[in-house]
Amino acid sequence: MRNLSYKGILLVAGLFFAFGFMKAQIYNVVDSDLEITGTSTLHDWEMNSDYSEGYLKGVVQNSNLKSIQEMRVQMKVTNLKSGKDAMDKVAYDAMKNDRFKNVDFELISATKKNENWVLHGYFTFAGARKEVKLNVAGNVIGKTITLIGSYTFKLTDFGIEPPTAMFGTIKTGDDVSLNFNIKFK
């Protein structure tokens, strides 16, 4: 009986020691590519940003992302650029940049499905906060975690009136897509 207790203690101590190595770490955003795309009565359009800030708290083991416990990514609205100053100004005005300077994602929970993840969180855009689920691909190369995904939504869902130009003759479509590739290290 005494050996069984001793072996049980060793087993518990061994498991505790092994799981101690799976402690969550903080990874900061080191690179990001974000693109918002949409349509208009004149042509399709896109705005890109290659800078965002944020972090991911998670567990990586054997080059595998095992868990995501916390995550927040934030981008300044004015980091989005179309290559056309007039279009950028109209877009910033529509996104209410005078009052709401950032686009933000804050994680509630993350669930792994095969090699991909479902990120359940809050997306804040133009001052409106909506609960969303994002399907993302995640991988680990070296010490860098990469998350790639997209989110399609309506501008009006976030209180944004689709912009118009040329006295209303050019109208932006309500449906837009946010595509992202974010690296954490």
Side-chain angles (χ1 to χ4, degrees), residues 123-184:
F123 182 55
T124 305
F125 189 51
R129 185 177 188 201
K130 301 286 182 190
E131 199 167 320
V132 299
K133 288 191 178 181
L134 306 175
N135 293 308
V136 301
N139 66 45
V140 179
I141 298 175
K143 295 184 178 190
T144 303
I145 299 168
T146 302
L147 297 179
I148 300 169
S150 64
Y151 173 60
T152 301
F153 61 96
K154 292 187 178 300
L155 292 171
T156 52
D157 289 345
F158 289 87
I160 299 171
E161 188 64 35
T164 61
M166 304 286 286
F167 306 105
T169 59
I170 300 172
K171 297 178 183 177
T172 302
D174 196 16
D175 295 319
V176 295
S177 292
L178 170 65
N179 304 299
F180 55 89
N181 181 333
I182 303 173
K183 294 180 181 353
F184 302 85

Side-chain angles (χ1 to χ4, degrees), residues 4-56:
L4 186 58
S5 296
Y6 182 69
K7 287 180 184 177
I9 290 171
L10 283 177
L11 178 63
V12 170
L15 289 172
F16 181 76
F17 184 72
F19 285 110
F21 286 112
M22 291 180 40
K23 183 178 178 185
Q25 294 183 339
I26 302 288
Y27 299 85
N28 292 307
V29 172
V30 292
D31 188 26
S32 62
D33 291 310
L34 297 114
E35 174 187 67
I36 295 180
T37 61
T39 61
S40 76
T41 52
L42 184 60
H43 56 73
D44 292 350
W45 57 268
E46 69 179 50
M47 297 183 80
N48 298 288
S49 172
D50 60 2
Y51 182 77
S52 63
E53 297 177 332
Y55 70 93
L56 179 151

Side-chain angles (χ1 to χ4, degrees), residues 47-145:
M47 297 183 80
N48 298 288
S49 172
D50 60 2
Y51 182 77
S52 63
E53 297 177 332
Y55 70 93
L56 179 151
K57 181 178 179 182
V59 175
V60 173
Q61 182 184 37
N62 300 326
S63 295
N64 227 337
L65 183 57
K66 294 290 187 180
S67 73
I68 302 172
Q69 298 165 358
E70 294 178 31
M71 187 174 105
R72 185 167 193 158
V73 177
Q74 188 175 72
M75 178 197 64
K76 290 186 183 300
V77 169
T78 54
N79 285 349
L80 287 166
K81 303 288 182 193
S82 68
K84 300 173 183 153
D85 290 341
M87 182 178 159
D88 292 349
K89 183 180 178 340
V90 169
Y92 301 155
D93 288 346
M95 290 186 269
K96 307 170 189 169
N97 183 57
D98 59 332
R99 291 177 288 157
F100 308 109
K101 303 291 184 194
N102 299 309
V103 176
D104 187 68
F105 176 79
E106 183 178 2
L107 183 72
I108 296 171
S109 66
T111 306
K112 192 167 188 177
K113 286 195 170 185
N114 301 318
E115 295 302 311
N116 295 321
W117 289 86
V118 176
L119 303 181
H120 177 213
Y122 292 109
F123 182 55
T124 305
F125 189 51
R129 185 177 188 201
K130 301 286 182 190
E131 199 167 320
V132 299
K133 288 191 178 181
L134 306 175
N135 293 308
V136 301
N139 66 45
V140 179
I141 298 175
K143 295 184 178 190
T144 303
I145 299 168

